[in-house]
Amino acid sequence: MAAVTTPERPVVATAVGREVERADARVKLNGQAEFTGDIRVPGMLYGAVLRSPVARARITRVDVEAALALDGVVAVLTGQDLLDMDPYYGHALRDRPIVAIDEVRFVGEPVAVVAARTLAVAEEARNLIEVAYDLQAPVASLEAAVRSDAPQVHTTRARPGFAHGLGQLPDPEGNVCYRYGFTTGDVSADFAGADVVVEGEYRFPAVYQYSLETHSVVADYRGDEVTIWASCQHPFLVRQEIADLFDLNLDRVRVVVPYLGGGFGSKSYTKMEPIAVAISRKARRPVRVVNRVDESMVTTRRHNMVCRMRTAAAADGTLLAREADFWLDTGAYADNGPRVTATAGDAAPGPYRWRSVRVDGRCVYTNTAPAGSYRAFGAIHLQWIGELQVDEIAHKLGLDPLEFRCRNLLPVGGEVRAGAKPLDADLVGDLRKVAEAIDWGAPRPPGRGVGLSVGLLAAGAHPVSMATVRLGADGGATVLVGTTELGQGARTAMAQIAAEVLALPPHQVVVRGTDTQYTPYDRSTGASRSTTVAGKAVELAARDVLASLVETAATKLDSDAPLSARDGGITDGERWISHQELIRARFGFAGGELVGQGRVQPSRGSGSYAEGPVFWEVCLAAAEVEVDPATGVVHVMRTASVADVGRAINPQLIRRQDEGATLQAIGNALFEEMHYDPEGLLLNDTLLDYRIPSTLDVPEQMTCVIVENEDGPGPFGAKGCGEGAFAGVTAAIATAVAAAGVPMRELPMTPERVWRRLQERGTVEQTGELR
Amino acid sequence: MKLPQFELHRPNSVDGASQLLTELGDDASAYSGGTELLLAMKLGLIKSRHLVDLKPLAELRGIELRPGGVWIGAGVTHREIESSPAIRAVLPPLAGMASQIANVRVRAIGTIGGNLCFADPNSDPATLLSALGARLRARVNGESVEFSPEEFIEGPYQTLLRPGDLLLGVWIPALPAGSAAVHLRMKIHERPSVTVAALVGVTRGEVVAARLAVGSVGPKVLQVELGEELRGLSGVGFSTRVRSLMALLAGSIPLLPERPESPEYQRHLVRLLGARALEAGLEGARN
Ligand SMILES: Cc1cc2nc3c(=O)[nH]c(=O)nc-3n(C[C@H](O)[C@H](O)[C@H](O)COP(=O)(O)OP(=O)(O)OC[C@H]3O[C@@H](n4cnc5c(N)ncnc54)[C@H](O)[C@@H]3O)c2cc1C
C-alpha cells in the first residue's frame, strides 16, 4: 500500500502538564453555564420545606388543611405519607426519615413539603401548616450527649447503610453511633518511660461548607421511573439510595448533574434528593426544591469535636507514643460521620515513626444539624492538635521544629497504619520545600511566628470508576465520565488526559455533565479521587480507542514499526495518518466512531477502607503569622502548601485548588464557627452573621509547591490533590500562632480567644499597650 | 431569598420624593443604594410595597468644598467620598474611613445618607462625623433642620426622621488649625465591632481641645469632650491621663446586648482603640 502522509498535518502540543484554558471558563463568565436552579421542566412545581423550629420534640399534630386550601397548592407531604414505604435513608446508617415521622431531632429538620405553582404560593402555604410539638429537653452539645443519663437522640438502632465501607459496624453505645480506634505497641510503658510528655484538651468548631450554589434538586417521578436533576457530587450513589428508598430498579432512576456551584463535600452522598422525589411522587408532577443559605446550613455542616491528646518523646528527640481520644458531633443523623471518624482516627497519630499509639474516636449523635463531609475532613480535625504537640515537645527539648519533624517522619514505604497502603510520598523532601518557601530559618521580630505542619489523608475512596471515550469521524472526542464538575476543573483535566493519549488538542475533547442513563458508573467525586481514579478510567478508555486506531493504521501503513499517536493522528515515526482518515478507512464511509471503555477497580484486596487508601494525600504546609497582642488579631502573612501530585495534569488548576483550600483554612482556623444556643438553635444562620473568607483575607503570599515524582496510581503517574492544603494550612496557622507566643487549644482562633489566652499567660500588660 | 414585589417610584425632586413618601406612609421606603434596604426586604424585616428612588436626585448628590468646610449630599456613595480629591485634601481621615467600609461593591452603591438613616449601631461614619462636629441637614415636616449625629440617631435602627422626612446631606467643618482627626475601628465580623474617632487640637505642642466619639459597641454613638481633662498635657503626662480616662470611659459605656464578643473584651477594645486614637491625634496635630 502506498505511503500515506496527509499534507495538512497539524502540530499538536502535549496536553498533559499544560495550563490549558478551562473548558468551562467562557460559559461561566458569560452566565450561560447551566446549574440545577436554572432548570425548568414543563409542568414543574415549586417546593417549600417546613422545618422544625425546635431541636427535640414529639409531633402530636400536623394540620395541612389551610395550606392545601390555598389556590395554587398541588400537594403537601408529611411523615404520614411515608407509611407505605421504608422511608429511612443514610449511606452510613439508615437513620434518617425523608421528612420527620412523629418526632423531630434538630432545628431545621424537614417536617413537611409543599408543592405549588409558584414559589411564593408554596412558601405562603408552608407558613399555614400547623404543627403541634410536645417539647423535650434537647441534647444540644457533645458534653450533654455523652453523659451517662443523657436522653437518646435515637431510641431504635439504625441499620447499616449501603456505602459506609467500614466493614462490620460496632454496636452503638448511648448516643455514640460509631466508634473507631486502634492500639499498637505498649502505650503505657512508653509514656511511663518518656522524658517529655505533653497533653491537652482541644476543641474544633462546627463550620458550614459554604458554596455559592445551595443544594438544588428538580425531581420528576412518573410511573415507576424518576428523573432527578441535582447539584450532587455522587450521582451514582444518589441513584442507588433513591432506588433503595423508592423500591425502583437502578435503571429506573436517572440522575442528571449539570454544573455545580461548588460543593466541598456538602453535596456528597444524598441530601435534598429524597424530599424532592417524595413530593414529586405525591404531586405527580416535577417539583423543584432549592435551599436557601440558612437551609443549606442545617442540611449539612462540618463536625465539631472535642479531643484529648497526649504525646511522649525521649530526650534525644525521638517521638515515642501518642494517645488520642476524640468525640465528633455528627448531629441528629449520622450522615458521613462514621467515615469522618475513621479518617480522623487515622490522622490522629500523624505520619511519624511511633513505638506505640492508641486512638479512640467516637461519632456522637446530638440534637443539632447533621454533620457530613467537608474538604479534608478528619485530617483537619486532628492534624493541628498533633502538630501543636510536636512543636511543644520540640520547644521543651530545645530542638528546631523542622529538624525534629524530619528526624521522626515516616520514610517512603513506611507503615502509616497496619494493613493499609504504605506511605507513597516523600514527606521530608516536601516539608523542606514548604519551609524554604517561607524562609524558615530567617530571624523574625516579636509578634511574628512561623509554623509547619505535616499530615496525611486517606484519599481515593472506593476505587471504582468507568469511563467511555468516543472518537468521532471528524477527529473530535467526547468523554463520558461520572466525575462532577464543581469548579475544580475536572472537565478540563479529563479532556487533557484523553487528549494526551489520542494526541488531540484538549479543546477538541468534550466532557459533559453526568447523566446516569448514559454515563458509565463512577463511585463519587470526593476524597481527591477524580483525577486519579476516574482519570485513570478516562486514560484507559482513550487507550482503548487508540488501540483501534493503531490496528487500522497498522494495516494501512503495512508497517512493523511501533505506532503511536501524534498530532491528531497515528505515526510510525516517519509517516502519519490523521484519526479522521483512519476512521473513514475503518468504516468505509464518512461516518462511524470509535468507542473505548476504561475500567478501574481495586487492584489489591477489596478496596475497602481497611486496606485502602488508593493513595495518601499529603497535608503539608507552612505559614507565617503576625499576632497583635493588644487585640488578639491574627494576620496570616504567608502560606506555603505542597501539592504532591505525582504528575501535574494542569498546574494552574492545582494551584487554584491549594489557594481555595488555603482561604477556607484561614476561615476555619481564624473565624468560622456555627454558634448553637443551649436549646439547639443555630444563632448565626445568615452570611452576615456567619462570615466566610473573602478576597480581603488572602495572605500577601500564597505558594503552592507542586511536587512531581510520577509516583501516583493515576494517569501518567498522577495522584490527587485539593484537600491536603486545607488540613495542612489550618494546622500550620495554629503552629505559627503558637510560635508567636500563643499556643491555642480551640479553633477558630478569634481575636477574643487569642487575647484571653495571652491574658492567661500573662504575657501582656493589662492595658494591652502595643510594644 | 427573593426580593418581594414592590413598586418603584422615580420622583424628580426632593420635594416630590418627600411628598410621595408622606402620602404612602408606612407602606413606602426611601431607596438610595439599597444595600441595607433590599437585604432587609429579602429577609422580610422591612415590608415596603413602594420604593421611592433617591438616586437620580441631583439635590442629594455632590461633594462641595465651601468656605469653612465640606458639604456631602446624602446620596454620595462611600466610593465617591474615598476617591474625592477635595476630601482627600481637606479631610483625609474621612476618605480613609470611607475606604474601609464594607467591600468595594457595597461602597460603589452604598451612600453615606443610607448608612446614617439605617442607623445600624455597628457603623463607622456616624462616629467619625460626631468627633468632627458635623451637622446633618434633614428635611423634617417640610422644613430644613440641622442635627448633630448623636441627636439624629436615637438608637439601633432608629433616627428622628418620620415618613416623608429626608436626610439631605452632611456639613463637616474644616479641621481647626493645629488639630488632627483619627478614625480607628476593629472589624471581626461583617460589620465593625468597635469604632472610635478622636479630634485633638494643640497649641505649641500642648493639648487645647480634644473630643472622642465611640461607636459600634453601644446603642448609639457616645461623644465626650475631653478638652478640659487633657488641656495643657503632652508626652507621658498626656498618655497617663488618656489611659485613666479611657479606663473610666470603657468601664461605663453602655454596650449592646447579645454581641458575639464578651463585654470584657469589648470594653478592652474601647479602652485600647480610644487611647490609640487620642495618642495618634496628638501626634498628628503636632505635625
Ligand atoms: C456587607 C456589608 C458590609 C458593611 N460594612 C460596613 C462597615 O464596615 N462600616 C459601616 O459603617 N457600614 C458598613 N455597611 C453598611 C453600609 O455602609 C450601608 O449598607 C450603606 O451605606 C447604606 O447606604 P444605601 O445607600 O445602600 O442605603 P439604602 O439601603 O438605600 O437605605 C438604607 C435605609 O436608609 C433610608 N434612606 C436612605 N437614604 C435616605 C435619605 N436620604 N433620607 C431618609 N432615609 C433614607 C432607607 O429608606 C433605608 O431605610 C456594610 C453593609 C454591607 C451590606
Side-chain angles (χ1 to χ4, degrees), chain A residues 732-745:
Chain A
I733 294 172
T735 55
V737 171
V742 206
M744 296 297 291
R745 300 212 157 153

Side-chain angles (χ1 to χ4, degrees), chain A residues 626-666:
Chain A
E626 191 166 43
V627 179
D628 178 349
T631 58
V633 170
V634 174
H635 171 61
V636 179
M637 307 171 68
R638 300 205 259 185
T639 60
S641 56
V642 160
D644 193 332
V645 294
R647 176 83 186 272
I649 304 295
N650 185 325
Q652 175 177 262
L653 291 177
I654 292 168
R655 279 194 292 271
R656 296 297 92 81
Q657 280 295 299
D658 270 21
E659 286 162 3
T662 295
L663 260 189
Q664 287 176 314
I666 287 172

Side-chain angles (χ1 to χ4, degrees), chain A residues 630-631 751-752 755-756 768, chain B residues 39 261-262 264-265 268 272 276:
Chain A
T631 58
E752 177 163 1
W755 176 74
R756 284 191 181 283
Chain B
L39 198 62
E261 282 66 44
S262 71
E264 188 192 359
Y265 182 62
H268 163 73
L272 177 79
R276 282 185 184 175

